Amino acid sequence: MKSLKKILSKRGYTKIPLVLSQTNHFEIMAKINGVSGRFILDTGASNTCIGMDKISYFNLLSEASETKAAGAGASEMETLVSKHNSIALGEWFRKKQNIVLFDLVHVNEALTNHKVLPVDGIIGADILKKGKAIIDYDKKLLYLKLKQGASEKKNNLSK
């Protein structure tokens, strides 16, 4: 039987390593506007989010939002939105990604209380849906489908 890695590779997917934290969250490295950061992979989060304290770090332009954020013991939190950002997870990338900005202090306090490093944000279902994500929990890998032609562009750039 073929491995999942081989099957998905043939179908245009790229693999991205995940790290399982002591809190049982998968953590992933991502680049927002070319700047690297640590994120929690959260299939239950509807949107990709970054902490408001990281606006300048990731070169985000923000505007008011009427959306209220909720989750992980907090609700009705004020948010901002940042539009037209680039995001890269391994070889997978998108331009024009909207990102919700809100106060992640409660999330990072919970992590540090469990001796886990704080994160810059959360990769949510919006990215997972766009990338036709497949998570291999056993091997701690996230697979995202590359845009058609992305592999060819990469190959041409490396020549």
Side-chain angles (χ1 to χ4, degrees), residues 81-98:
V81 66
S82 179
K83 297 180 178 179
H84 307 297
N85 299 286
S86 66
I87 183 166
L89 294 107
E91 294 177 29
W92 187 90
F93 65 94
R94 288 294 182 272
K95 296 178 184 175
K96 299 181 183 177
Q97 176 65 41
N98 291 350

Side-chain angles (χ1 to χ4, degrees), residues 7 13-14 21-22 31 37-38 52 56 64-65 68 81-82 94 103 105 114-115 121 128 135 145 153-154 159:
I7 293 168
Y13 279 80
T14 185
S21 74
Q22 289 187 345
K31 282 188 178 182
R38 290 180 59 248
M52 284 198 192
S56 61
S65 170
K68 301 284 185 195
V81 66
S82 179
R94 288 294 182 272
D103 189 350
V105 168
H114 288 90
K115 297 181 177 36
L128 300 174
I135 301 171
K145 188 164 179 65
K153 284 181 192 175
K154 181 187 165 205
K159 289 181 182 177

Side-chain angles (χ1 to χ4, degrees), residues 81-143:
V81 66
S82 179
K83 297 180 178 179
H84 307 297
N85 299 286
S86 66
I87 183 166
L89 294 107
E91 294 177 29
W92 187 90
F93 65 94
R94 288 294 182 272
K95 296 178 184 175
K96 299 181 183 177
Q97 176 65 41
N98 291 350
I99 296 172
V100 174
L101 307 167
F102 74 101
D103 189 350
L104 285 176
V105 168
H106 67 286
V107 171
N108 282 323
E109 282 178 358
L111 292 173
T112 56
N113 286 341
H114 288 90
K115 297 181 177 36
V116 174
L117 293 173
V119 294
D120 298 308
I122 297 164
I123 300 297
D126 55 342
I127 296 295
L128 300 174
K129 286 171 31 179
K130 285 179 186 175
K132 299 181 175 152
I134 297 172
I135 301 171
D136 184 335
Y137 285 87
D138 184 50
K139 301 248 188 316
K140 299 179 186 80
L141 293 169
L142 170 66
Y143 291 92

